[in-house]
Structure formats: structure tokens, C-alpha cells
Amino acid sequence: TEQPSWGYWWSQNSTTCWEDWLIHGTRNHIFLCGGVGEWMWKHLIGLTPAAPQFTRVSINPKVHPTLGPASASGTFVSPSGSIAVSWKVSAQGALVVLNVTLPTGVQLATVAVPKPFGKGGGAVSKSSVTLSGDVVWNGSELVGTHPGLINATDSAEAVIFQAKNGVYQFESTPQAL
């Protein structure tokens, strides 16, 4: 709530964005900050629609152990129901936890579970992912069976699952060599 910050504006009962961070200028620029909320949903929480009415969604939070924040959460009331996403990363980045709740109106979700981070700050090349305590990704392929998971692929920064509606608690850790 100290200047310069959005928190300061909030503490001053501002309902729009100011022309600049300080008290100079006008204080009624609604469109200047219009993208802040969208950025938070799309990048921090990672939720974007992939089809009309949010019947298909993409969840791909941007997580980093040192650039912060260490966690984020949000619930979005969509036409297909309430979609909840929360994540946290350990201080050293060796553990990433992603919780996702997809209502029955969401037919399919692409869920990118961030890989944990190595000593240099980048994502590890191989990670193991558990879902509610059961291993579902062994570093190179989908393993076991879970009724909500359809498919999984690997990328440089995440393991990407195709999931049906349901409640998911993913944990991503470096794969033991």
C-alpha cells in the first residue's frame, strides 16, 4: 500500500487507474489498467478459454522459484461453472503443486503442470508427476490409469495433460536418475 503501487491507489479509494503512479495528473483512466486482471488470469493463474462458454479451457500458470510469487489461486465463475486453480512452488523450486477444479460444464482441459526447477533456476529436463499421490507421469510417458486423464505430453517447461472435468491435485518433482 505504499506509493508507487496499485495497493496505494486502492488505499486512496481509487476506482480507476491514475494517469501516473504519483498523485500528479488525472485519476480516471479506466482503460489503462483494463489488461491487469486479464494478465493475472491468463499468466499468473494460467486460465484461458479454448472454446466458447469455457467448455474447453487451457491452464498454464507461469511459475518461477525466484522471480515470484511463490503461490497464486483464483476461482473464475464461467458459463460452464466455477473453475478453480491454485499453485505453489517450494522455496528452491524442487516441488510444484497445482490444484485444479473443473466443473461438469468443462468438457476438456489442457493442463500444463510446471516442471520443478534446477539449481540454475531453469526447469529440469525430466520430472515425475503425481496425481493425488499416484504417479501419472514418469518423466517420459503417462503411466497408470486415472479416469480423468486422457493423454499427456512433455514440453521444456511443463508436462501437459488432457483432462476431463473433475478435481486434480498434481505434484511435480525432479525425476530421480
Side-chain angles (χ1 to χ4, degrees), residues 103-177:
T104 56
V106 174
Q107 299 166 2
L108 184 67
T110 300
V111 181
V113 179
K115 289 183 177 179
F117 297 86
K119 293 179 183 176
V124 299
S125 60
K126 296 281 185 180
S127 66
S128 177
V129 178
T130 61
L131 176 56
S132 302
D134 297 324
V135 175
V136 292
W137 181 262
N138 67 4
S140 60
E141 64 183 353
L142 188 63
V143 294
T145 58
H146 186 281
L149 298 181
I150 299 168
N151 190 13
T153 57
D154 196 18
S155 77
E157 297 179 350
V159 177
I160 303 164
F161 293 91
Q162 298 294 316
K164 297 178 183 178
N165 56 56
V167 177
Y168 301 90
Q169 181 180 9
F170 296 100
E171 290 190 7
S172 180
T173 57
Q175 184 182 15
L177 300 174

Side-chain angles (χ1 to χ4, degrees), residues 54-70:
F54 285 79
T55 57
R56 292 176 182 245
V57 297
S58 174
I59 297 169
N60 186 11
K62 304 303 181 207
V63 175
H64 196 279
T66 58
L67 298 177

